[in-house]
PDB file of all heavy atoms in Angstrom:
ATOM      1  N   PHE A  28      -6.789  59.625 -21.295  1.00 90.00           N
ATOM      2  CA  PHE A  28      -8.062  58.883 -21.078  1.00 90.00           C
ATOM      3  C   PHE A  28      -7.883  57.526 -20.459  1.00 90.00           C
ATOM      4  O   PHE A  28      -8.531  57.146 -19.487  1.00 90.00           O
ATOM      5  CB  PHE A  28      -8.824  58.773 -22.404  1.00 90.00           C
ATOM      6  CG  PHE A  28     -10.080  57.941 -22.327  1.00 90.00           C
ATOM      7  CD1 PHE A  28     -11.193  58.396 -21.705  1.00 90.00           C
ATOM      8  CD2 PHE A  28     -10.023  56.577 -22.807  1.00 90.00           C
ATOM      9  CE1 PHE A  28     -12.309  57.628 -21.652  1.00 90.00           C
ATOM     10  CE2 PHE A  28     -11.181  55.864 -22.724  1.00 90.00           C
ATOM     11  CZ  PHE A  28     -12.316  56.338 -22.141  1.00 90.00           C
ATOM     12  N   PHE A  29      -6.938  56.760 -21.010  1.00 88.00           N
ATOM     13  CA  PHE A  29      -6.684  55.369 -20.451  1.00 88.00           C
ATOM     14  C   PHE A  29      -6.122  55.468 -19.063  1.00 88.00           C
ATOM     15  O   PHE A  29      -6.412  54.588 -18.208  1.00 88.00           O
ATOM     16  CB  PHE A  29      -5.781  54.550 -21.396  1.00 88.00           C
ATOM     17  CG  PHE A  29      -6.494  54.164 -22.636  1.00 88.00           C
ATOM     18  CD1 PHE A  29      -5.935  54.485 -23.896  1.00 88.00           C
ATOM     19  CD2 PHE A  29      -7.654  53.452 -22.629  1.00 88.00           C
ATOM     20  CE1 PHE A  29      -6.525  54.112 -25.027  1.00 88.00           C
ATOM     21  CE2 PHE A  29      -8.281  53.045 -23.738  1.00 88.00           C
ATOM     22  CZ  PHE A  29      -7.757  53.398 -25.002  1.00 88.00           C
ATOM     23  N   MET A  30      -5.328  56.408 -18.774  1.00 85.00           N
ATOM     24  CA  MET A  30      -4.734  56.552 -17.400  1.00 85.00           C
ATOM     25  C   MET A  30      -5.848  56.922 -16.447  1.00 85.00           C
ATOM     26  O   MET A  30      -5.858  56.400 -15.289  1.00 85.00           O
ATOM     27  CB  MET A  30      -3.679  57.634 -17.391  1.00 85.00           C
ATOM     28  CG  MET A  30      -2.366  57.170 -18.023  1.00 85.00           C
ATOM     29  SD  MET A  30      -1.129  58.483 -18.127  1.00 85.00           S
ATOM     30  CE  MET A  30      -1.021  59.012 -16.444  1.00 85.00           C
ATOM     31  N   VAL A  31      -6.771  57.733 -16.798  1.00 85.00           N
ATOM     32  CA  VAL A  31      -7.834  58.120 -15.890  1.00 85.00           C
ATOM     33  C   VAL A  31      -8.859  57.039 -15.708  1.00 85.00           C
ATOM     34  O   VAL A  31      -9.365  56.799 -14.597  1.00 85.00           O
ATOM     35  CB  VAL A  31      -8.550  59.460 -16.367  1.00 85.00           C
ATOM     36  CG1 VAL A  31      -9.774  59.749 -15.583  1.00 85.00           C
ATOM     37  CG2 VAL A  31      -7.557  60.614 -16.269  1.00 85.00           C
ATOM     38  N   SER A  32      -9.168  56.292 -16.742  1.00 85.00           N
ATOM     39  CA  SER A  32     -10.205  55.287 -16.665  1.00 85.00           C
ATOM     40  C   SER A  32      -9.712  53.966 -16.079  1.00 85.00           C
ATOM     41  O   SER A  32     -10.475  53.049 -15.816  1.00 85.00           O
ATOM     42  CB  SER A  32     -10.812  55.036 -18.043  1.00 85.00           C
ATOM     43  OG  SER A  32      -9.813  54.521 -18.913  1.00 85.00           O
ATOM     44  N   THR A  33      -8.409  53.796 -15.858  1.00 80.00           N
ATOM     45  CA  THR A  33      -7.877  52.542 -15.312  1.00 80.00           C
ATOM     46  C   THR A  33      -8.096  52.575 -13.802  1.00 80.00           C
ATOM     47  O   THR A  33      -7.949  53.567 -13.114  1.00 80.00           O
ATOM     48  CB  THR A  33      -6.336  52.457 -15.604  1.00 80.00           C
ATOM     49  OG1 THR A  33      -6.136  52.573 -16.924  1.00 80.00           O
ATOM     50  CG2 THR A  33      -5.771  51.176 -15.058  1.00 80.00           C
ATOM     51  N   THR A  34      -8.507  51.396 -13.292  1.00 72.00           N
ATOM     52  CA  THR A  34      -8.720  51.284 -11.841  1.00 72.00           C
ATOM     53  C   THR A  34      -7.491  50.624 -11.246  1.00 72.00           C
ATOM     54  O   THR A  34      -6.925  49.686 -11.807  1.00 72.00           O
ATOM     55  CB  THR A  34      -9.958  50.469 -11.532  1.00 72.00           C
ATOM     56  OG1 THR A  34      -9.833  49.169 -12.092  1.00 72.00           O
ATOM     57  CG2 THR A  34     -11.228  51.128 -12.081  1.00 72.00           C
ATOM     58  N   PHE A  35      -7.154  51.079 -10.086  1.00 66.00           N
ATOM     59  CA  PHE A  35      -6.000  50.499  -9.323  1.00 66.00           C
ATOM     60  C   PHE A  35      -6.589  49.920  -8.042  1.00 66.00           C
ATOM     61  O   PHE A  35      -7.378  50.543  -7.324  1.00 66.00           O
ATOM     62  CB  PHE A  35      -5.004  51.527  -9.009  1.00 66.00           C
ATOM     63  CG  PHE A  35      -4.377  52.178 -10.217  1.00 66.00           C
ATOM     64  CD1 PHE A  35      -4.816  53.428 -10.665  1.00 66.00           C
ATOM     65  CD2 PHE A  35      -3.351  51.504 -10.885  1.00 66.00           C
ATOM     66  CE1 PHE A  35      -4.274  53.960 -11.808  1.00 66.00           C
ATOM     67  CE2 PHE A  35      -2.781  52.105 -12.003  1.00 66.00           C
ATOM     68  CZ  PHE A  35      -3.266  53.321 -12.492  1.00 66.00           C
ATOM     69  N   ASN A  36      -6.179  48.690  -7.773  1.00 62.00           N
ATOM     70  CA  ASN A  36      -6.660  48.051  -6.517  1.00 62.00           C
ATOM     71  C   ASN A  36      -5.716  48.387  -5.433  1.00 62.00           C
ATOM     72  O   ASN A  36      -4.487  48.083  -5.443  1.00 62.00           O
ATOM     73  CB  ASN A  36      -6.669  46.488  -6.685  1.00 62.00           C
ATOM     74  CG  ASN A  36      -7.734  46.067  -7.639  1.00 62.00           C
ATOM     75  OD1 ASN A  36      -8.701  46.761  -7.804  1.00 62.00           O
ATOM     76  ND2 ASN A  36      -7.559  44.894  -8.317  1.00 62.00           N
ATOM     77  N   ARG A  37      -6.228  49.101  -4.437  1.00 58.00           N
ATOM     78  CA  ARG A  37      -5.506  49.474  -3.298  1.00 58.00           C
ATOM     79  C   ARG A  37      -6.162  48.919  -2.095  1.00 58.00           C
ATOM     80  O   ARG A  37      -7.277  49.267  -1.760  1.00 58.00           O
ATOM     81  CB  ARG A  37      -5.416  51.020  -3.179  1.00 58.00           C
ATOM     82  CG  ARG A  37      -4.548  51.476  -2.070  1.00 58.00           C
ATOM     83  CD  ARG A  37      -4.464  52.920  -1.964  1.00 58.00           C
ATOM     84  NE  ARG A  37      -3.835  53.453  -3.161  1.00 58.00           N
ATOM     85  CZ  ARG A  37      -3.772  54.720  -3.426  1.00 58.00           C
ATOM     86  NH1 ARG A  37      -4.343  55.592  -2.644  1.00 58.00           N
ATOM     87  NH2 ARG A  37      -3.195  55.166  -4.533  1.00 58.00           N
ATOM     88  N   GLN A  38      -5.462  48.048  -1.407  1.00 52.00           N
ATOM     89  CA  GLN A  38      -6.062  47.361  -0.265  1.00 52.00           C
ATOM     90  C   GLN A  38      -5.697  48.133   0.989  1.00 52.00           C
ATOM     91  O   GLN A  38      -4.465  48.208   1.311  1.00 52.00           O
ATOM     92  CB  GLN A  38      -5.651  45.906  -0.155  1.00 52.00           C
ATOM     93  CG  GLN A  38      -6.126  45.111  -1.345  1.00 52.00           C
ATOM     94  CD  GLN A  38      -5.677  43.632  -1.285  1.00 52.00           C
ATOM     95  OE1 GLN A  38      -4.955  43.321  -0.437  1.00 52.00           O
ATOM     96  NE2 GLN A  38      -6.106  42.815  -2.207  1.00 52.00           N
ATOM     97  N   THR A  39      -6.650  48.671   1.629  1.00 46.00           N
ATOM     98  CA  THR A  39      -6.394  49.395   2.865  1.00 46.00           C
ATOM     99  C   THR A  39      -7.268  48.819   3.963  1.00 46.00           C
ATOM    100  O   THR A  39      -8.322  48.265   3.714  1.00 46.00           O
ATOM    101  CB  THR A  39      -6.675  50.869   2.737  1.00 46.00           C
ATOM    102  OG1 THR A  39      -8.016  51.045   2.357  1.00 46.00           O
ATOM    103  CG2 THR A  39      -5.790  51.534   1.656  1.00 46.00           C
ATOM    104  N   GLU A  40      -6.869  49.012   5.139  1.00 45.00           N
ATOM    105  CA  GLU A  40      -7.643  48.518   6.301  1.00 45.00           C
ATOM    106  C   GLU A  40      -8.054  49.767   7.119  1.00 45.00           C
ATOM    107  O   GLU A  40      -7.249  50.607   7.418  1.00 45.00           O
ATOM    108  CB  GLU A  40      -6.853  47.594   7.137  1.00 45.00           C
ATOM    109  CG  GLU A  40      -6.488  46.300   6.450  1.00 45.00           C
ATOM    110  CD  GLU A  40      -5.720  45.325   7.368  1.00 45.00           C
ATOM    111  OE1 GLU A  40      -5.689  45.531   8.562  1.00 45.00           O
ATOM    112  OE2 GLU A  40      -5.180  44.361   6.804  1.00 45.00           O
ATOM    113  N   VAL A  41      -9.309  49.799   7.356  1.00 42.00           N
ATOM    114  CA  VAL A  41      -9.842  50.852   8.128  1.00 42.00           C
ATOM    115  C   VAL A  41     -10.603  50.314   9.355  1.00 42.00           C
ATOM    116  O   VAL A  41     -11.461  49.450   9.173  1.00 42.00           O
ATOM    117  CB  VAL A  41     -10.828  51.801   7.333  1.00 42.00           C
ATOM    118  CG1 VAL A  41     -11.409  52.879   8.097  1.00 42.00           C
ATOM    119  CG2 VAL A  41     -10.085  52.295   6.077  1.00 42.00           C
ATOM    120  N   ASN A  42     -10.270  50.798  10.518  1.00 45.00           N
ATOM    121  CA  ASN A  42     -11.006  50.342  11.695  1.00 45.00           C
ATOM    122  C   ASN A  42     -12.299  51.085  11.808  1.00 45.00           C
ATOM    123  O   ASN A  42     -12.297  52.281  12.014  1.00 45.00           O
ATOM    124  CB  ASN A  42     -10.162  50.528  12.923  1.00 45.00           C
ATOM    125  CG  ASN A  42      -8.905  49.673  12.946  1.00 45.00           C
ATOM    126  OD1 ASN A  42      -8.918  48.593  12.376  1.00 45.00           O
ATOM    127  ND2 ASN A  42      -7.873  50.150  13.572  1.00 45.00           N
ATOM    128  N   ILE A  43     -13.399  50.368  11.635  1.00 42.00           N
ATOM    129  CA  ILE A  43     -14.703  50.978  11.774  1.00 42.00           C
ATOM    130  C   ILE A  43     -15.579  50.238  12.779  1.00 42.00           C
ATOM    131  O   ILE A  43     -15.334  49.071  13.005  1.00 42.00           O
ATOM    132  CB  ILE A  43     -15.474  51.028  10.438  1.00 42.00           C
ATOM    133  CG1 ILE A  43     -15.560  49.613   9.823  1.00 42.00           C
ATOM    134  CG2 ILE A  43     -14.745  51.952   9.432  1.00 42.00           C
ATOM    135  CD1 ILE A  43     -16.423  49.582   8.551  1.00 42.00           C
ATOM    136  N   LYS A  44     -16.518  50.895  13.303  1.00 47.00           N
ATOM    137  CA  LYS A  44     -17.515  50.303  14.229  1.00 47.00           C
ATOM    138  C   LYS A  44     -18.838  50.384  13.594  1.00 47.00           C
ATOM    139  O   LYS A  44     -19.468  51.402  13.480  1.00 47.00           O
ATOM    140  CB  LYS A  44     -17.432  51.056  15.552  1.00 47.00           C
ATOM    141  CG  LYS A  44     -17.975  50.334  16.706  1.00 47.00           C
ATOM    142  CD  LYS A  44     -17.702  51.038  18.013  1.00 47.00           C
ATOM    143  CE  LYS A  44     -18.052  50.190  19.203  1.00 47.00           C
ATOM    144  NZ  LYS A  44     -17.727  50.860  20.419  1.00 47.00           N
TER     145      LYS A  44
END
Side-chain angles (χ1 to χ4, degrees):
F28 172 76
F29 288 125
M30 286 175 54
V31 169
S32 64
T33 303
T34 58
F35 298 99
N36 291 334
R37 183 180 296 172
Q38 296 178 354
T39 59
E40 293 183 16
V41 178
N42 294 330
I43 57 173
K44 199 170 188 178

